[in-house]
Amino acid sequence: AAAPEPFSLTPAAGYPFPPAPYGGPYQPSQGSDDDWDDEWDESSTVADEPGALGSSYPDYEVASSRASGCYHLSTRSEPSLSSRGGHLAGHLHPPGSGTKSSATVSRNLNRFSTFVKSGGEAFVLGEASGFMKDGDKLCVVLGPQGPEWQENPYPFQCSIEDPTKQTKFKGMKSYIAYKLVPSHTGQQVHRRYKHFDWLYGRLAEKFPVISVPHLPEKQATGRFEEDFISKRRKGLAWWMDHMCSHPVLAQCDAFQHFLTCSSTDEKAWKQGKRKAEKDEMVGANFFLTISVPTGPGASLDLQEVESQVDGFKAFTKKMDESALQLNHTANEFARKQVTGFKKEYQKVGHSFKCLSQAFELDQQAFSAGLNQAIAFTAEAYDAIGDLFADQPRQDLDPVMDLLALYQGHLANFPDIIHVQKGALTKVKESKRHVEEGKMELQKAEGIQERCNIISFATLAEMNHFHKIRLRDFKSQMQHFLQQQILFFQKVTQKLEEALHRYDSV
């Protein structure tokens, strides 16, 4: 999928997506933006459509083919998992039959730990239980670079266009609605920022080991100003691209409801919204939906997983630091171009203009050509000053916009890694208990098996991050350099035009 078109920030704006505090859960943002005092179920929660549209759209292809059968899944029973737990069995000494004990792996006492809040701990300890529909299944497959999410069989994109100011309560309240056109339905829907915010909250809660991209910032004042609306639309375009590009997020029911439910069908919107809010496959139960590779060669080496996760942790820390540094440098450079460079070039232009005005006092007919050529040179430098001031919008701002989006992703990974680390810790603990004769091998194998599931999902998410990063930064750096080349060609053209004015002097 192609990256969305580059877009601009005002150079002083910095990151438009403030990262959530490390380790902090998602909190729906409060404030006056887009009527957050509204009740969700009041008469106009879905953006009113400018123009009449049909009230029903074709269902997403995959959704319509999902079987309605439910399967009760539980991690409480402990079947033998030796077919996939052979790696563990080779390292443990099962206790003698006479030393069986009911000792369990200890619980994490920190109730605010991400590992606990995400449901990771309950899942690993075998306490998850839920009904799973066919459509809930998330598959991790083995790709050339290791575990990866199974590709979306029906990839699509979604454009965000024409933000329009709309009113309700007879004009007493105003809001901005964005036109969304998903390629898999071709039917436009209108959504307000609060709908994006609601969706983000649902997905951030549902997917503890997936990086849900952060939304562009909220703004309570000046939210109807053209620059802000344009900047936010472009931020939402990046957000939407990352959502559609993710094999799991793109197919999630709540996201599909958001993209396809008619803007004029209040009842259908509320039904889908309530269904998403009652989703039971969240927290510990979310991990039940993950299907991982089986058979020979599919088991993960715990030390290898730990090493890869540690490497990714170091990578994200370094990327975060360098992204901040590049953002600061680009911001500073853009500011200099808009103010300093423009001023300096126009100062040079003004000085040439003064010289040509002095020459005009000579009143000799044969020197008129020279006077005009110098005056044109002055104008060229003045125009080059303007080119410098306009340029950051074309090249530096889009780079900063991309860095902003990735800042949000990088802020998500400490929590994802924490869930993975918590699971590995429980496996190490259970191994020790087996060796000390305090736990049955079968129970320890169950813990390792469930840790394996979290490991597969985490590695798949890391793999997806690298793939999309490669795509985005390639595209954005190409755009940046192309725009730089065009800029210097324009500068050269102005100087060449000025030079040719002297040919006939």
Side-chain angles (χ1 to χ4, degrees):
E5 92 274 19
F7 52 87
S8 65
L9 260 179
T10 47
Y15 282 123
F17 312 95
Y22 274 45
Y26 166 75
Q27 294 291 338
S29 40
Q30 297 300 322
S32 61
D33 190 32
D34 285 341
D35 310 327
W36 269 104
D37 51 336
D38 286 358
E39 283 300 317
W40 263 104
D41 286 339
E42 46 93 14
S43 63
S44 180
T45 55
V46 182
D48 301 319
E49 200 83 70
L53 274 177
S55 62
S56 64
Y57 294 141
D59 287 330
Y60 184 46
E61 205 167 340
V62 173
S64 61
S65 67
R66 284 176 180 167
S68 58
C70 291
Y71 307 94
H72 180 67
L73 284 187
S74 173
T75 54
R76 289 186 181 127
S77 58
E78 297 289 345
S80 169
L81 297 158
S82 55
S83 61
R84 284 151 75 190
H87 172 72
L88 175 74
H91 289 75
L92 295 180
H93 309 290
S97 55
T99 59
K100 283 183 182 174
S101 157
S102 59
T104 57
V105 173
S106 65
R107 286 187 148 284
N108 190 328
L109 296 176
N110 177 6
R111 297 292 97 196
F112 300 104
S113 148
T114 308
F115 182 48
V116 176
K117 286 187 304 183
S118 68
E121 182 183 64
F123 172 72
V124 169
L125 296 182
E127 294 163 7
S129 176
F131 285 94
M132 188 179 82
K133 302 187 297 295
D134 276 356
D136 289 330
K137 192 188 265 188
L138 307 174
C139 293
V140 178
V141 296
L142 284 174
Q145 275 80 44
E148 53 186 52
W149 296 113
Q150 189 171 52
E151 283 185 22
N152 181 357
Y154 305 102
F156 65 93
Q157 291 170 311
C158 179
S159 63
I160 297 185
E161 303 160 16
D162 306 338
T164 50
K165 187 175 178 181
Q166 299 182 12
T167 58
K168 62 179 191 178
F169 303 139
K170 296 185 178 171
M172 289 174 69
K173 279 200 172 180
S174 301
Y175 57 87
I176 299 295
Y178 298 86
K179 182 168 87 176
L180 276 55
V181 187
S183 64
H184 63 304
T185 66
Q187 302 282 4
Q188 65 178 41
V189 294
H190 285 76
R191 298 287 180 251
R192 293 165 59 181
Y193 183 85
K194 72 174 187 179
H195 299 123
F196 283 91
D197 203 53
W198 167 80
L199 177 66
Y200 172 77
R202 296 304 314 146
L203 300 181
E205 182 188 0
K206 180 171 172 66
F207 297 114
V209 289
I210 288 174
S211 177
V212 181
H214 290 206
L215 285 166
E217 64 187 353
K218 291 181 71 64
Q219 180 160 315
T221 56
R223 60 185 210 270
F224 299 130
E225 289 169 14
E226 207 172 311
D227 279 356
F228 173 72
I229 292 168
S230 169
K231 181 182 130 185
R232 178 184 269 179
R233 186 194 72 78
K234 289 161 183 172
L236 288 173
W238 267 118
W239 182 86
M240 183 60 77
D241 175 72
H242 272 226
M243 290 294 295
C244 296
S245 301
H246 197 289
V248 174
L249 298 176
Q251 298 183 83
C252 166
D253 287 345
F255 184 49
Q256 283 301 319
H257 175 65
F258 173 83
L259 292 179
T260 59
C261 180
S262 164
S263 310
T264 53
D265 192 341
E266 282 296 326
K267 192 176 174 187
W269 172 262
K270 287 175 191 172
Q271 279 175 344
K273 181 180 171 291
R274 290 191 184 117
K275 184 184 169 197
E277 285 162 358
K278 287 178 182 169
D279 183 0
E280 288 181 4
M281 304 318 275
V282 298
N285 286 353
F286 159 75
F287 296 103
L288 290 173
T289 66
I290 299 169
S291 156
V292 301
T294 58
S299 65
L300 296 172
D301 181 299
L302 286 188
Q303 281 179 316
E304 179 62 27
V305 171
E306 195 164 14
S307 160
Q308 281 182 267
V309 171
D310 285 344
F312 185 76
K313 187 177 179 181
F315 164 81
T316 50
K317 185 174 184 290
K318 193 70 183 164
M319 181 176 171
D320 199 30
E321 288 166 6
S322 59
L324 275 169
Q325 186 191 355
L326 176 55
N327 183 69
H328 175 74
T329 306
N331 234 320
E332 195 60 20
F333 191 45
R335 191 183 61 76
K336 284 176 182 168
Q337 284 183 235
V338 172
T339 54
F341 291 11
K342 176 180 178 177
K343 195 173 165 186
E344 292 303 318
Y345 271 86
Q346 293 185 342
K347 205 188 280 182
V348 172
H350 181 69
S351 299
F352 279 133
K353 191 174 182 184
C354 290
L355 181 67
S356 76
Q357 285 168 343
F359 280 7
E360 277 167 16
L361 296 176
D362 122 6
Q363 310 249 317
Q364 297 292 339
F366 63 80
S367 64
L370 176 66
N371 301 347
Q372 286 163 4
I374 294 175
F376 188 86
T377 305
E379 286 167 17
Y381 269 78
D382 205 50
I384 289 170
D386 285 332
L387 285 175
F388 268 104
D390 291 340
Q391 191 54 24
R393 202 175 299 142
Q394 315 303 326
D395 52 27
L396 287 169
D397 288 357
V399 169
M400 289 191 279
D401 294 337
L402 181 69
L403 292 172
L405 181 82
Y406 274 85
Q407 245 343 70
H409 278 305
L410 293 167
N412 290 338
F413 277 109
D415 279 355
I416 292 171
I417 289 168
H418 183 77
V419 173
Q420 166 65 33
K421 289 280 186 191
L424 286 171
T425 303
K426 296 297 175 204
V427 172
K428 288 173 187 171
E429 234 177 280
S430 69
K431 280 187 176 187
R432 200 170 62 249
H433 285 332
V434 169
E435 283 164 1
E436 292 167 359
K438 293 178 183 172
M439 181 186 276
E440 293 176 9
L441 174 62
Q442 197 177 24
K443 188 160 192 170
E445 283 181 339
I447 287 173
Q448 166 150 345
E449 195 60 27
R450 291 187 289 275
C451 172
N452 237 6
I453 289 172
I454 293 179
S455 297
F456 267 114
T458 307
L459 294 176
E461 188 59 18
M462 285 159 44
N463 196 341
H464 176 75
F465 178 80
H466 283 313
K467 266 204 281 197
I468 204 139
R469 175 181 60 86
L470 188 76
R471 180 202 75 171
D472 289 346
F473 279 86
K474 174 191 172 182
S475 154
Q476 203 60 78
M477 290 307 295
Q478 284 174 324
H479 176 82
F480 173 75
L481 292 169
Q482 285 160 354
Q483 290 298 320
Q484 281 276 288
I485 290 164
L486 281 172
F487 168 69
F488 285 108
Q489 283 172 343
K490 284 181 200 166
V491 171
T492 306
Q493 192 183 349
K494 288 280 174 203
L495 296 173
E496 282 175 344
E497 281 173 18
L499 175 62
H500 290 314
R501 291 292 170 127
Y502 294 89
D503 293 348
S504 58
V505 172

